[in-house]
Coordinates of all heavy atoms in Angstrom, one line a residue:
E1007 N 18.7 43.0 12.2 CA 19.0 44.0 13.1 C 20.1 43.6 14.1 O 20.9 44.5 14.4 CB 17.8 44.5 13.9 CG 16.7 45.2 13.0 CD 17.2 46.4 12.3 OE1 17.9 47.2 12.9 OE2 16.9 46.5 11.1
V1008 N 20.2 42.4 14.4 CA 21.2 41.9 15.3 C 22.6 42.2 14.7 O 23.6 42.5 15.4 CB 21.0 40.5 15.7 CG1 22.2 39.9 16.5 CG2 19.8 40.3 16.5
D1009 N 22.7 42.0 13.4 CA 24.0 42.2 12.7 C 24.5 43.6 13.0 O 25.7 43.8 13.0 CB 23.9 41.9 11.2 CG 23.8 40.4 11.0 OD1 24.3 39.6 11.8 OD2 23.1 40.1 9.9
R1010 N 23.7 44.6 13.1 CA 24.1 45.9 13.4 C 24.9 46.0 14.7 O 25.8 46.8 14.9 CB 23.0 46.9 13.4 CG 22.4 47.2 12.1 CD 21.3 48.2 12.2 NE 20.8 48.5 10.8 CZ 20.0 49.5 10.5 NH1 19.6 50.2 11.5 NH2 19.6 49.7 9.4
L1011 N 24.5 45.2 15.7 CA 25.2 45.2 17.0 C 26.6 44.7 16.8 O 27.5 45.0 17.7 CB 24.4 44.3 18.0 CG 23.0 44.7 18.3 CD1 22.4 43.7 19.2 CD2 23.1 46.1 19.0
S1012 N 26.9 44.0 15.8 CA 28.3 43.5 15.6 C 29.3 44.7 15.4 O 30.5 44.5 15.5 CB 28.4 42.5 14.4 OG 28.1 43.2 13.2
E1013 N 28.8 45.9 15.1 CA 29.6 47.0 14.9 C 30.0 47.6 16.3 O 30.8 48.5 16.4 CB 28.8 48.1 14.2 CG 28.4 47.7 12.8 CD 27.5 48.7 12.1 OE1 27.4 49.8 12.6 OE2 26.9 48.3 11.0
L1014 N 29.6 47.0 17.4 CA 30.0 47.4 18.7 C 30.9 46.3 19.3 O 30.5 45.4 20.0 CB 28.7 47.5 19.6 CG 27.6 48.4 19.1 CD1 26.4 48.3 19.9 CD2 28.1 49.8 19.2
P1015 N 32.2 46.4 19.0 CA 33.2 45.3 19.3 C 33.4 45.1 20.8 O 33.9 44.0 21.2 CB 34.4 45.7 18.6 CG 34.3 47.2 18.5 CD 32.9 47.5 18.3
H1016 N 33.0 46.0 21.6 CA 33.2 46.0 23.1 C 31.9 45.6 23.8 O 31.9 45.6 25.0 CB 33.8 47.2 23.6 CG 35.1 47.5 22.9 ND1 36.2 46.8 23.0 CD2 35.4 48.6 22.1 CE1 37.2 47.3 22.3 NE2 36.7 48.4 21.7
L1017 N 30.8 45.2 23.1 CA 29.6 44.9 23.7 C 29.8 43.5 24.4 O 30.1 42.5 23.8 CB 28.5 44.7 22.6 CG 27.1 44.4 23.2 CD1 26.5 45.5 24.0 CD2 26.2 44.1 22.0
M1018 N 29.6 43.6 25.8 CA 29.9 42.4 26.6 C 28.6 41.8 27.1 O 28.7 40.6 27.6 CB 30.9 42.7 27.7 CG 32.2 43.2 27.1 SD 33.5 43.7 28.3 CE 33.0 43.2 29.8
E1019 N 27.5 42.5 27.3 CA 26.3 42.0 27.9 C 25.1 42.5 27.1 O 25.1 43.7 26.8 CB 26.3 42.4 29.4 CG 25.1 41.8 30.1 CD 25.1 42.1 31.6 OE1 26.1 42.5 32.1 OE2 24.1 41.7 32.2
I1020 N 24.2 41.6 26.9 CA 23.0 42.1 26.3 C 21.8 41.2 26.7 O 22.0 40.0 27.0 CB 23.1 42.1 24.7 CG1 21.9 42.8 24.1 CG2 23.2 40.6 24.2 CD1 22.1 43.1 22.6
S1021 N 20.6 41.7 26.8 CA 19.4 41.0 27.1 C 18.5 41.2 26.0 O 18.1 42.2 25.6 CB 18.8 41.4 28.4 OG 17.6 40.7 28.6
L1022 N 18.1 40.0 25.4 CA 17.1 40.0 24.3 C 15.8 39.3 24.7 O 15.0 38.9 23.8 CB 17.7 39.4 23.0 CG 18.9 40.1 22.5 CD1 19.6 39.4 21.3 CD2 18.5 41.5 21.9
M1023 N 15.6 39.1 26.0 CA 14.4 38.4 26.5 C 13.3 39.3 26.0 O 13.3 40.5 26.0 CB 14.4 38.3 28.0 CG 15.5 37.3 28.5 SD 15.3 37.0 30.2 CE 16.3 38.3 30.9
N1024 N 12.2 38.6 25.7 CA 10.9 39.3 25.2 C 11.1 40.0 23.8 O 10.3 40.7 23.4 CB 10.4 40.3 26.2 CG 10.0 39.6 27.5 OD1 9.4 38.5 27.5 ND2 10.4 40.2 28.6
N1025 N 12.3 39.7 23.2 CA 12.5 40.3 21.8 C 12.1 39.1 20.9 O 12.4 37.9 21.1 CB 14.0 40.6 21.6 CG 14.3 41.2 20.3 OD1 14.1 40.6 19.3 ND2 14.8 42.5 20.3
P1026 N 11.4 39.4 19.8 CA 11.0 38.3 18.8 C 12.2 37.4 18.4 O 12.0 36.2 18.2 CB 10.4 39.1 17.7 CG 10.0 40.3 18.2 CD 11.0 40.7 19.3
V1027 N 13.4 37.9 18.3 CA 14.5 37.1 17.9 C 14.7 35.9 18.9 O 15.2 34.9 18.4 CB 15.8 38.0 17.7 CG1 16.4 38.4 19.1 CG2 16.8 37.2 16.9
S1028 N 14.4 36.1 20.1 CA 14.6 35.0 21.1 C 13.7 33.8 20.9 O 14.0 32.8 21.5 CB 14.4 35.6 22.5 OG 13.1 35.9 22.8
R1029 N 12.8 33.9 20.0 CA 11.9 32.8 19.7 C 12.4 31.9 18.5 O 11.8 30.9 18.2 CB 10.5 33.3 19.4 CG 9.8 33.8 20.6 CD 8.4 34.3 20.3 NE 8.5 35.6 19.7 CZ 7.7 36.7 20.0 NH1 6.8 36.5 20.8 NH2 8.0 37.8 19.5
K1030 N 13.5 32.4 17.8 CA 14.0 31.7 16.7 C 14.8 30.5 17.2 O 15.4 30.5 18.3 CB 15.0 32.6 16.0 CG 14.4 33.9 15.5 CD 13.8 33.7 14.1 CE 13.3 35.1 13.6 NZ 12.6 34.9 12.4
P1031 N 14.8 29.4 16.4 CA 15.5 28.2 16.7 C 17.0 28.6 16.8 O 17.5 29.3 16.0 CB 15.3 27.2 15.6 CG 14.1 27.8 14.8 CD 14.0 29.3 15.1
N1032 N 17.7 28.0 17.8 CA 19.2 28.2 18.0 C 19.5 29.7 18.1 O 20.7 30.0 17.8 CB 19.9 27.5 16.9 CG 19.6 26.1 16.9 OD1 19.6 25.4 17.8 ND2 19.3 25.6 15.6
Y1033 N 18.7 30.5 18.6 CA 19.0 31.9 18.7 C 20.2 32.2 19.5 O 21.0 33.1 19.1 CB 17.7 32.7 19.1 CG 17.8 33.4 20.4 CD1 18.3 34.7 20.5 CD2 17.5 32.8 21.6 CE1 18.4 35.4 21.7 CE2 17.6 33.4 22.8 CZ 18.1 34.7 22.8 OH 18.2 35.4 24.0
R1034 N 20.3 31.5 20.6 CA 21.5 31.8 21.5 C 22.8 31.6 20.8 O 23.7 32.4 20.8 CB 21.4 31.0 22.8 CG 22.5 31.4 23.8 CD 22.2 30.7 25.2 NE 23.3 30.9 26.0 CZ 23.5 31.9 26.9 NH1 22.5 32.8 27.0 NH2 24.5 32.0 27.6
T1035 N 22.9 30.5 20.1 CA 24.1 30.2 19.3 C 24.4 31.2 18.3 O 25.5 31.7 18.1 CB 23.9 28.7 18.7 OG1 23.8 27.8 19.7 CG2 25.1 28.4 17.8
A1036 N 23.3 31.6 17.6 CA 23.4 32.6 16.5 C 23.9 33.9 17.0 O 24.8 34.6 16.5 CB 22.1 32.8 15.8
I1037 N 23.4 34.3 18.2 CA 23.8 35.6 18.8 C 25.3 35.5 19.2 O 26.0 36.5 19.0 CB 22.9 36.0 20.0 CG1 21.5 36.2 19.5 CG2 23.4 37.2 20.7 CD1 21.3 37.3 18.6
I1038 N 25.6 34.5 19.8 CA 27.0 34.3 20.3 C 28.0 34.3 19.2 O 29.0 34.9 19.2 CB 27.2 33.1 21.2 CG1 26.4 33.3 22.5 CG2 28.7 32.8 21.5 CD1 26.2 32.0 23.3
K1039 N 27.6 33.7 18.0 CA 28.5 33.7 16.8 C 28.6 35.1 16.3 O 29.7 35.6 15.9 CB 27.9 32.8 15.8 CG 28.2 31.4 15.9 CD 27.6 30.7 14.7 CE 27.9 29.2 14.8 NZ 27.5 28.5 13.6
R1040 N 27.5 35.9 16.3 CA 27.5 37.2 15.7 C 28.2 38.3 16.6 O 28.7 39.3 16.1 CB 26.1 37.7 15.3 CG 25.6 37.0 14.1 CD 24.1 37.5 13.8 NE 23.7 37.0 12.5 CZ 23.0 35.9 12.4 NH1 22.7 35.2 13.5 NH2 22.5 35.5 11.3
L1041 N 28.1 38.0 17.9 CA 28.6 39.0 18.8 C 29.7 38.3 19.7 O 29.4 38.0 20.9 CB 27.5 39.6 19.7 CG 26.3 40.2 18.9 CD1 25.2 40.5 19.8 CD2 26.8 41.4 18.1
P1042 N 30.9 38.0 19.2 CA 31.8 37.2 19.9 C 32.4 37.8 21.2 O 33.0 37.1 22.0 CB 32.9 37.0 18.8 CG 32.8 38.1 17.9 CD 31.4 38.5 17.9
A1043 N 32.3 39.1 21.4 CA 32.8 39.7 22.6 C 31.8 39.5 23.8 O 32.2 39.8 24.9 CB 33.1 41.2 22.4
L1044 N 30.6 39.0 23.5 CA 29.7 38.9 24.6 C 30.2 38.0 25.7 O 30.8 37.0 25.5 CB 28.3 38.3 24.1 CG 27.4 39.2 23.4 CD1 26.1 38.4 23.1 CD2 27.0 40.4 24.2
I1045 N 29.9 38.3 27.0 CA 30.2 37.5 28.1 C 28.9 37.0 28.7 O 28.9 35.9 29.3 CB 31.0 38.3 29.1 CG1 32.4 38.7 28.5 CG2 31.2 37.6 30.4 CD1 33.2 39.7 29.3
V1046 N 27.8 37.9 28.7 CA 26.5 37.5 29.3 C 25.5 37.8 28.3 O 25.4 38.8 27.6 CB 26.3 38.4 30.6 CG1 25.0 38.1 31.1 CG2 27.4 38.2 31.6
L1047 N 24.6 36.7 28.1 CA 23.5 36.9 27.2 C 22.2 36.5 28.0 O 22.2 35.4 28.5 CB 23.6 36.0 26.0 CG 22.4 35.9 25.0 CD1 22.1 37.2 24.4 CD2 22.7 34.9 23.9
D1048 N 21.3 37.4 28.0 CA 20.0 37.2 28.7 C 20.2 36.8 30.2 O 19.6 36.0 30.8 CB 19.1 36.1 28.0 CG 18.7 36.6 26.7 OD1 18.6 37.8 26.4 OD2 18.3 35.7 25.9
G1049 N 21.2 37.5 30.8 CA 21.5 37.3 32.2 C 22.2 36.0 32.6 O 22.5 35.7 33.7
K1050 N 22.6 35.3 31.5 CA 23.3 34.0 31.7 C 24.7 34.1 31.1 O 24.9 34.4 29.9 CB 22.6 32.9 31.1 CG 23.2 31.5 31.3 CD 22.4 30.4 30.6 CE 23.1 29.1 30.7 NZ 22.5 28.1 29.9
E1051 N 25.7 33.8 31.9 CA 27.1 33.8 31.4 C 27.3 32.8 30.3 O 26.8 31.7 30.3 CB 28.1 33.4 32.6 CG 29.5 33.5 32.1 CD 30.5 33.2 33.3 OE1 30.0 32.9 34.4 OE2 31.7 33.1 33.0
I1052 N 28.1 33.2 29.3 CA 28.5 32.3 28.2 C 29.7 31.6 28.7 O 30.8 32.2 28.9 CB 28.8 33.1 26.9 CG1 27.5 33.9 26.5 CG2 29.2 32.2 25.8 CD1 27.8 35.0 25.5
T1053 N 29.6 30.3 28.9 CA 30.7 29.5 29.5 C 31.7 29.1 28.4 O 31.4 29.0 27.3 CB 30.1 28.2 30.2 OG1 29.6 27.4 29.2 CG2 29.1 28.6 31.3
P1054 N 32.9 28.7 28.9 CA 33.9 28.2 27.9 C 33.3 27.0 27.2 O 33.6 26.8 26.0 CB 35.1 27.8 28.8 CG 35.0 28.7 30.0 CD 33.5 28.9 30.2
E1055 N 32.6 26.1 27.9 CA 32.1 24.9 27.3 C 31.0 25.2 26.2 O 31.0 24.6 25.1 CB 31.4 24.0 28.4 CG 32.3 23.5 29.4 CD 32.7 24.4 30.5 OE1 32.1 25.5 30.6 OE2 33.7 24.1 31.2
E1056 N 30.2 26.2 26.4 CA 29.3 26.7 25.4 C 30.0 27.2 24.2 O 29.6 26.9 23.1 CB 28.3 27.7 26.0 CG 27.2 28.2 25.1 CD 26.2 29.1 25.7 OE1 26.5 29.7 26.8 OE2 25.1 29.2 25.2
R1057 N 31.1 28.0 24.4 CA 31.8 28.5 23.3 C 32.5 27.4 22.5 O 32.5 27.4 21.3 CB 32.9 29.5 23.8 CG 32.3 30.8 24.2 CD 33.4 31.9 24.3 NE 32.9 33.0 25.0 CZ 32.2 34.0 24.4 NH1 32.0 33.9 23.1 NH2 31.8 35.0 25.1
M1058 N 33.0 26.4 23.2 CA 33.6 25.2 22.5 C 32.6 24.5 21.7 O 32.9 24.1 20.5 CB 34.2 24.3 23.5 CG 35.5 24.8 24.1 SD 36.7 25.1 22.9 CE 37.8 23.8 23.2
R1059 N 31.3 24.3 22.2 CA 30.3 23.7 21.4 C 30.0 24.5 20.1 O 29.9 23.9 19.0 CB 29.0 23.5 22.2 CG 29.0 22.3 23.2 CD 27.7 22.0 23.7 NE 27.0 23.2 24.4 CZ 27.2 23.6 25.6 NH1 27.9 22.9 26.4 NH2 26.5 24.6 26.1
I1060 N 30.0 25.8 20.2 CA 29.7 26.6 19.1 C 30.9 26.6 18.1 O 30.6 26.5 16.9 CB 29.4 28.1 19.6 CG1 28.1 28.2 20.3 CG2 29.5 29.1 18.4 CD1 27.9 29.4 21.1
E1061 N 32.1 26.6 18.6 CA 33.2 26.5 17.7 C 33.2 25.2 16.9 O 33.6 25.1 15.8 CB 34.6 26.5 18.6 CG 34.8 27.9 19.2 CD 35.8 27.9 20.2 OE1 36.5 26.9 20.4 OE2 36.0 28.9 20.9
Q1062 N 32.8 24.1 17.5 CA 32.7 22.8 16.9 C 31.7 22.8 15.8 O 31.8 21.9 14.9 CB 32.4 21.7 17.9 CG 33.6 21.5 18.9 CD 33.2 20.6 20.0 OE1 32.1 20.1 20.2 NE2 34.2 20.3 20.8
V1063 N 30.7 23.6 15.8 CA 29.7 23.7 14.7 C 29.9 24.8 13.8 O 29.0 25.3 13.1 CB 28.2 23.7 15.3 CG1 28.0 22.4 16.0 CG2 28.0 24.9 16.2
G1064 N 31.2 25.3 13.7 CA 31.5 26.3 12.7 C 31.6 27.7 13.2 O 31.5 28.6 12.4
G1065 N 31.8 27.9 14.5 CA 32.0 29.3 15.0 C 33.4 29.7 15.0 O 34.2 29.2 14.2
M1066 N 33.8 30.7 15.8 CA 35.2 31.1 15.8 C 36.1 30.0 16.3 O 35.7 29.2 17.1 CB 35.3 32.4 16.7 CG 35.0 32.2 18.1 SD 34.8 33.8 18.9 CE 33.3 33.5 19.7
M1067 N 37.3 30.1 15.9 CA 38.3 29.0 16.3 C 39.1 29.5 17.5 O 39.4 30.8 17.7 CB 39.2 28.8 15.2 CG 38.5 28.2 13.9 SD 37.5 26.8 14.2 CE 38.7 25.6 14.6
P1068 N 39.6 28.6 18.3 CA 40.4 29.0 19.5 C 41.7 29.7 18.9 O 42.2 29.3 17.9 CB 40.8 27.7 20.2 CG 39.8 26.8 19.7 CD 39.3 27.2 18.3
G1069 N 42.1 30.8 19.6 CA 43.3 31.6 19.1 C 42.9 32.6 18.0 O 43.8 33.3 17.6
D1070 N 41.7 32.6 17.5 CA 41.3 33.6 16.5 C 41.5 35.0 17.1 O 41.0 35.3 18.2 CB 39.8 33.3 16.2 CG 39.3 34.3 15.1 OD1 39.8 35.4 14.9 OD2 38.3 33.9 14.4
P1071 N 42.2 35.8 16.4 CA 42.4 37.2 16.9 C 41.1 38.0 17.2 O 41.1 38.9 17.9 CB 43.3 37.9 15.8 CG 43.2 37.0 14.6 CD 42.8 35.6 15.1
K1072 N 40.1 37.6 16.5 CA 38.8 38.3 16.7 C 38.0 37.7 17.9 O 37.1 38.3 18.4 CB 37.9 38.1 15.5 CG 38.4 38.8 14.3 CD 37.5 38.7 13.1 CE 38.0 39.3 11.9 NZ 37.2 39.0 10.7
A1073 N 38.5 36.6 18.5 CA 37.9 36.0 19.7 C 38.1 36.9 20.8 O 39.1 37.5 21.0 CB 38.4 34.6 19.9
P1074 N 37.0 37.0 21.7 CA 37.1 37.9 22.8 C 38.0 37.3 23.9 O 38.2 36.0 23.9 CB 35.7 37.9 23.3 CG 35.1 36.6 22.9 CD 35.8 36.4 21.6
P1075 N 38.5 38.1 24.8 CA 39.2 37.5 26.0 C 38.3 36.7 26.8 O 37.1 37.0 26.9 CB 39.8 38.6 26.7 CG 38.9 39.8 26.3 CD 38.4 39.5 24.9
M1076 N 38.8 35.6 27.4 CA 37.9 34.8 28.2 C 37.9 35.4 29.6 O 38.8 35.2 30.4 CB 38.3 33.3 28.2 CG 38.3 32.7 26.8 SD 36.6 32.8 26.2 CE 36.2 31.1 26.0
I1077 N 36.8 36.0 29.9 CA 36.6 36.6 31.3 C 35.3 35.9 31.8 O 34.3 35.9 31.2 CB 36.3 38.1 31.2 CG1 37.5 38.9 30.5 CG2 36.1 38.7 32.5 CD1 37.2 40.3 30.1
H1078 N 35.5 35.4 33.0 CA 34.4 34.7 33.6 C 34.2 35.1 35.1 O 35.2 35.4 35.8 CB 34.5 33.2 33.5 CG 34.6 32.7 32.1 ND1 33.4 32.6 31.4 CD2 35.6 32.5 31.3 CE1 33.7 32.3 30.1 NE2 35.0 32.2 30.0
F1079 N 33.0 35.2 35.5 CA 32.7 35.6 36.9 C 32.8 34.4 37.8 O 32.3 33.3 37.5 CB 31.3 36.3 36.9 CG 31.2 37.4 36.0 CD1 30.5 37.2 34.7 CD2 31.7 38.6 36.3 CE1 30.4 38.3 33.8 CE2 31.6 39.7 35.3 CZ 31.0 39.5 34.2
A1080 N 33.3 34.7 39.0 CA 33.4 33.6 40.0 C 32.2 33.6 40.8 O 31.4 34.5 41.0 CB 34.6 33.8 40.8

């Protein structure tokens, strides 16, 4: 069902707390890979460092045209 959310290219924030998917191993990484425009997941900002770790294990590459703009809250 999460894959259906990838049809929402402007989805920037989502909370999946208390959703069964949140109990899956590495669920945060999987969600960030599937929904690259996300800025906030479960109330926690997705940091540039977290994105870099995901990229290193086969996620999107820096400069990828599908990669979301890097917007971070101060």
Side-chain angles (χ1 to χ4, degrees):
E1007 293 299 317
V1008 172
D1009 287 333
R1010 289 184 177 188
L1011 296 173
S1012 66
E1013 297 172 15
L1014 304 171
H1016 303 293
L1017 182 64
M1018 297 177 14
E1019 183 173 353
I1020 191 168
S1021 177
L1022 297 171
M1023 290 187 275
N1024 299 317
N1025 185 299
V1027 72
S1028 69
R1029 291 180 280 222
K1030 302 272 183 188
N1032 302 312
Y1033 114 92
R1034 186 172 172 89
T1035 297
I1037 296 298
I1038 294 169
K1039 280 183 177 183
R1040 284 184 174 90
L1041 306 174
L1044 281 183
I1045 296 171
V1046 178
L1047 175 58
D1048 293 340
K1050 182 180 174 195
E1051 181 181 358
I1052 301 165
T1053 65
E1055 294 81 12
E1056 185 173 19
R1057 287 194 191 278
M1058 286 301 253
R1059 282 193 304 272
I1060 291 168
E1061 290 167 8
Q1062 291 171 356
V1063 295
M1066 65 194 131
M1067 300 304 293
D1070 183 334
K1072 293 180 183 176
M1076 295 304 239
I1077 301 170
H1078 298 280
F1079 303 102

